[in-house]
Amino acid sequence: MAIQAVVFDWAGTTIDYGSRAPIIAFQRAFAHFGINVPEAVIRADVGLDKAEHIAKLFAQPDTWAAWVHSGHNEERDVAIQEVYQQFQTEIRAVLTETGQLKPGMQSLCAYLQLKHIAVASTSGYTAAMIEQLVPVVHAQGYQPVINVTSERTAGIGRPQADMLTYAIQHLQIDDPQTVIKVGDTVNDILEGKNAHAISVGVVVGSNLIGMSEAEFVALPESEQTRLKEAARETFIKAGADYTIDSMADLMPLIEALDQKALQVPLLLTPGPLTTSASVKQTMLVDHGTWDEEYKVLTQSIRRALLAVGHADPELYTSVLVQGSGSFGVEATLQTAVPDNGTLLIAMNGAYGQRMATMATRLGINHVDLDFGETQIVSAEKVLNVLHQHPEVTHFAMVHSETTTGILNPLTPLIPQLTEMGIVTIVDAMSSFGGVPIDVTQLGVDYLISSANKCIQGVPGFAFVLAKQLTLATTEGNARSLSLDLYDQWRCFEEEAGKWRFTSPTHTVYAFRQALNELIEEGGVAARHARYAANEKQLCQGMLALGFEPLLPTSVQSPIITSFKYPAARFDFRKFYEALKLAGFIIYPGKVSKAKTFRIGNIGEIYPDDIQHLLQVIAKTEVAQPVAVNE
Ligand SMILES: *Cc1c(COP(=O)(O)O)cnc(C)c1O
């Protein structure tokens, strides 16, 4: 839904650049008694209850000594009371002086009025103070519908949600997600989050920077940038949804949020990925699992999967396993490898490593062969290790290692191993359906993938194409009940497509639709061509924008591409947010050695989408300096 309202804070946000009014009033109140209190000392406790704040200032030995020295009443409570009274007088005068709207505020007000976006305020000030400010800002074109202070919420102020929620209710808005709360302090951000609104922090002229406009503008640009980035970081750490430089920047943010509300995001991720509308549509109906229709559907999927993988139905079977892809891998490992077997795992990324972790947990003897993260699995090295480890009975590897996007060749290695009598297991999770694989020719014993990758279904189950003769020897191997691939297979076979336990019905229906769409597209070859074209266009476009892929083209899969950060100070989070705002969801990196991020090429993604993405990236400020302790 489009943005319905903006609720502003006062000092430091809409008026009073640098939120200086309380500081000045404190300084003047003390000066009235002949005492000079430095601004930094006051600033340290800004936001406290005012009497408490004065007590804290008197707790400074210098301040108290000056007070006593100038011959005033030496009772602490009396002193606090006297300065507090004076503060009340001073703040009234100062408020009027600092009531000028911050830069950008006037055009923002005109814009909000034009868009019929309601405007309200919440404040840490008292109602009396706000009453004094209202005519000052009205005269400048800023007229909130309601100004909420904690007097309306039984004294409950920030960071609690009460004042903001009061304002939202007053405006008769049901969904707080359509409300933007803008403020310049951490407590403002927290108030917004607590009320489930969109929290925005304004950086320039904020309390976090705490300088007057003249002071700030006089700083060298590098120092201005450093202060701004530090403030931005503070807002983000507090949970801000967005940060803006100046108030005028709220306008493009609202435009972008409204745009975003209209469109569905494109997932440029390796599963879950973007599915077609027709696949989503199939999930709007609930289905039982007991009727014949569902069993027939399951059998048709099992047959279709064999066809997608060129697996001879005389030799191979397909077994569906509830859960994500890893469930399928774990079921296969523990069913395939008996207690007296030994598994060699060739790995070059997180998914290969995950297999080793599973083997350890399952108590499977395993030998690990690690190729790092940017080298493909070398057949020669695997064969070498086999000679050193004659006890190896099983072999596992990942086809498309989604960690980086590297594509490990399956030939000649898998046929060679099969020839040697080694049982082979391939995690083809992110490649099956998107990269041609001929299971029969490979002779692979187990090939694993899942519903939410290149077949373009939604998450919910994994599947394993298994050589029947091999699987038939595995009864009783599994170390757990639910992930027993053998038992699962027998149930499908003996009960004509019945799942052993509750199955993800919506996912299964969506998957059948996704398989139909794969066939309509022209099968795996056509889908591979589309993904490869996406990848090529993405890679070339990104290179032109100064982004270097992690991998050489020779080992790059068409599935997902890792890009190195373009600069040491690249702020991925900001980059991600900017793309998200434009409707694209990408992935952070998963590589341990280099700083990378990933963009997926699979799913319901076409050249137009890649082109649009590249245009958005071109417009993104990518190499923003970051003011964190890197
Ligand atoms: C997605 C994927 C998996 C499975 O991950 P889940 O989160 O369990 O679905 C396994 N291996 C590879 C290579 C993958 O890309």
Side-chain angles (χ1 to χ4, degrees), residues 203-493:
V203 167
V204 171
S206 67
N207 182 59
L208 286 186
I209 295 183
M211 288 180 187
S212 72
E213 191 166 9
E215 284 169 323
F216 186 71
V217 170
L219 292 175
E221 207 172 300
S222 61
E223 182 59 9
Q224 291 182 3
T225 308
R226 196 190 64 76
L227 289 170
K228 286 200 287 189
E229 289 308 318
R232 207 185 299 283
E233 197 62 28
T234 305
F235 283 137
I236 286 171
K237 283 217 180 92
D241 295 295
Y242 303 97
T243 61
I244 51 176
D245 250 27
S246 83
M247 295 309 283
D249 295 335
L250 196 61
M251 293 182 268
L253 177 62
I254 291 174
E255 289 297 315
L257 287 171
D258 283 355
Q259 268 300 310
K260 190 179 141 203
L262 291 176
Q263 70 192 28
V264 271
L266 280 186
L267 300 183
L268 298 174
T269 55
L273 38 61
T274 306
T275 58
S276 68
S278 33
V279 163
K280 290 191 252 292
Q281 190 79 28
T282 55
M283 292 185 289
L284 294 177
V285 184
D286 302 319
H287 299 278
T289 53
W290 271 91
D291 52 275
E292 202 51 30
E293 183 199 321
Y294 189 63
K295 294 203 306 192
V296 169
L297 173 76
T298 301
Q299 293 297 63
S300 86
I301 287 174
R302 293 179 64 213
R303 276 194 306 275
L305 284 173
L306 292 177
V308 170
H310 297 281
D312 181 349
E314 295 289 316
L315 303 176
Y316 284 88
T317 184
S318 82
V319 187
L320 317 182
V321 182
Q322 294 95 328
S324 82
S326 301
F327 291 58
V329 177
E330 193 153 351
T332 304
L333 294 184
Q334 67 162 326
T335 306
V337 190
D339 283 340
N340 61 2
T342 297
L343 175 66
L344 171 61
I345 306 170
M347 60 183 79
N348 53 356
Y351 293 102
Q353 265 158 17
R354 188 177 293 173
M355 290 204 276
T357 308
M358 286 172 181
T360 302
R361 282 287 181 97
L362 293 165
I364 293 173
N365 308 315
H366 60 104
V367 178
D368 300 344
L369 177 56
D370 197 337
F371 290 88
E373 285 169 329
T374 53
Q375 298 293 316
I376 54 168
V377 168
S378 135
E380 199 190 325
K381 289 221 173 102
V382 170
L383 294 174
N384 264 340
V385 172
L386 275 179
H387 286 305
Q388 291 158 21
H389 290 275
E391 75 277 19
V392 168
T393 52
H394 290 66
F395 171 78
M397 69 179 281
V398 175
H399 184 210
S400 162
E401 195 20 290
T402 322
T403 307
T404 51
I406 203 166
L407 190 65
N408 292 310
L410 298 179
T411 48
L413 181 60
I414 298 295
Q416 275 173 340
L417 295 175
T418 313
E419 190 95 330
M420 293 165 65
I422 305 272
V423 175
T424 52
I425 301 166
V426 171
D427 168 350
M429 203 71 65
S430 65
S431 54
F432 187 79
V435 177
I437 298 174
D438 191 319
V439 168
T440 310
Q441 234 175 43
L442 277 179
V444 62
D445 290 283
Y446 301 93
L447 188 109
I448 312 154
S449 184
S450 77
N452 60 280
K453 305 260 170 154
C454 296
I455 307 285
Q456 298 187 185
V458 300
F461 67 89
F463 53 86
V464 185
L465 306 192
K467 209 182 257 174
Q468 291 180 31
L469 283 178
T470 313
L471 184 56
T473 65
T474 61
E475 183 175 4
N477 280 355
R479 282 83 171 160
S480 81
L481 175 70
S482 304
L483 294 182
D484 186 332
L485 195 69
Y486 178 87
D487 280 5
Q488 188 88 347
W489 174 47
R490 291 324 305 160
C491 187
F492 281 126
E493 290 297 321

Side-chain angles (χ1 to χ4, degrees), residues 171-201:
L171 297 171
Q172 299 187 313
I173 292 171
D174 295 327
D175 182 2
Q177 274 294 312
T178 62
V179 177
I180 295 179
K181 162 71 208 292
V182 192
D184 69 312
T185 66
V186 165
N187 279 333
D188 284 304
I189 301 301
L190 297 176
E191 178 189 28
K193 297 307 290 175
N194 288 336
H196 308 292
I198 300 169
S199 259
V200 176

